[in-house]
Amino acid sequence: MSPAPRNTALRDDAPTGLPAAVLFDLDGTLIDSLRSMTEALVETLAARGRAVTVEAIVAAFGPPFEEVIASVGGVSLEEAADVADAYVPVYYGRYVHRALALPGADALIARLAAVEVPRALVTSRREDNAHAMLAHRGWTERFPVVVGHDTAAAAKPHPAPALHALAALEVEARGAAFVGDTAEDMACARDAGLATVVGMTHIRSERELRAAGATHLAADLATVGALLGVPTPSAGSSR
C-alpha cells in the first residue's frame, strides 16, 4: 500500500490529505495520566509538608513540570527541581500503571505509521521521563524523535520544542500538524508556524485553545484522525 497524498495546507473548514508529519503532546493527548501524575505529586509534596490538591495541580498543568510544582507548591524553582527528582520514584514506583492510553491512541499511532507519516513527541515532561513512559506503553519505536522540556533551547509555550522536532524529522512547519491539549501546546505550534494545530478538549475550554492558536478542536483521537485525513483500516485496505 502506497502512502496517501499529503496536503500542506489543511484548513479548519475542510481538512484533506495527510500532513507531512505529526507532533504529539503526551499527557492528556495520548495518555490519560493527569490523575496519576497529580496524585503522585500530591504525595511527594505532602512528604515535604506542603498540602496541595489534585484540582489545583490540574489547573496549573501546561508549563514545564518544575514550574507547575513551584506554582502550586509555593516553592522556588530550585526546590521544585528537587521535588521533581523525588517525584520520579514515587510516580514510576506506584502510579505509572494507572496511566492508560486514551481511547484510539494505539490505533491512531499505528495508522500514521502504516501510511508513513513521521511522528514526534513534544512534551513538558523531562526527556528521560518521556522515554520511560513510551517504554511503559510500548511506543518507543513509534516515536523516533522525543523532545522534552529540557531538550530544546526553551520549553513550551516557546516554539523551540516544535522547531527542534521538525528539524530532527527534516520536515517544514507549513506541512506539519501538532496535537495537544493545553494553551502552551497551541502557542508552541502556532509560533513555530505549523499549518494544523489540533486542540484536544479534555482539560481546557475550546475558547482557550482557540485563543492560543488552535486551528482545529477535537474531543477524541478518532476525531483527530479524521481531521488529519488518516485512512481508517477499511479505507486503507481498499488502496
Side-chain angles (χ1 to χ4, degrees):
M1 181 181 71
S2 60
R6 296 177 182 176
N7 178 33
T8 60
L10 298 180
R11 296 184 301 140
D12 188 35
D13 57 342
T16 58
L18 284 171
V22 182
L23 280 54
F24 286 97
D25 173 53
L26 180 61
D27 299 293
T29 299
L30 293 176
I31 58 173
D32 185 6
S33 57
L34 291 182
R35 188 79 189 183
S36 61
M37 290 177 69
T38 53
E39 289 177 348
L41 183 54
V42 166
E43 179 179 326
T44 305
L45 285 167
R48 292 176 174 242
R50 297 188 178 273
V52 299
T53 65
V54 165
E55 292 72 21
I57 298 171
V58 169
F61 256 93
F65 196 45
E66 284 81 355
E67 293 182 20
V68 173
I69 293 170
S71 174
V72 300
V75 299
S76 67
L77 282 174
E78 182 178 2
E79 184 176 350
D82 291 337
V83 173
D85 287 339
Y87 158 91
V88 172
V90 174
Y91 182 73
Y92 288 97
R94 295 194 296 281
Y95 289 89
V96 70
H97 68 280
R98 304 182 191 178
L100 304 177
L102 282 165
D106 287 296
L108 177 57
I109 295 167
R111 285 159 52 199
L112 285 167
V115 292
E116 301 177 7
V117 174
R119 300 156 308 284
L121 196 70
V122 180
T123 174
S124 291
R125 288 184 184 228
R126 293 191 322 212
E127 184 179 339
D128 58 347
N129 289 342
H131 280 292
M133 178 54 74
L134 289 179
H136 170 69
R137 292 255 34 104
W139 290 346
T140 297
E141 298 302 318
R142 296 298 197 186
F143 290 96
V145 174
V146 177
V147 181
H149 79 73
D150 54 344
T151 306
K156 296 185 286 190
H158 195 280
L163 293 172
H164 185 100
L166 292 168
L169 292 174
E170 299 183 340
V171 172
E172 293 186 2
R174 67 175 181 268
F178 192 111
V179 184
D181 69 319
T182 67
E184 287 79 7
D185 292 326
M186 305 299 99
C188 171
R190 176 198 64 202
D191 294 344
L194 276 83
T196 304
V197 183
V198 182
M200 300 285 291
T201 56
H202 295 303
I203 64 171
R204 299 291 181 255
S205 70
E206 294 184 0
R207 183 174 184 176
E208 180 178 355
L209 295 170
R210 284 285 194 192
T215 61
H216 298 69
L217 297 170
D220 52 50
L221 290 168
T223 302
V224 171
L227 286 170
L228 299 181
V230 183
T232 62
S234 59
S237 63
S238 65
R239 287 182 178 273

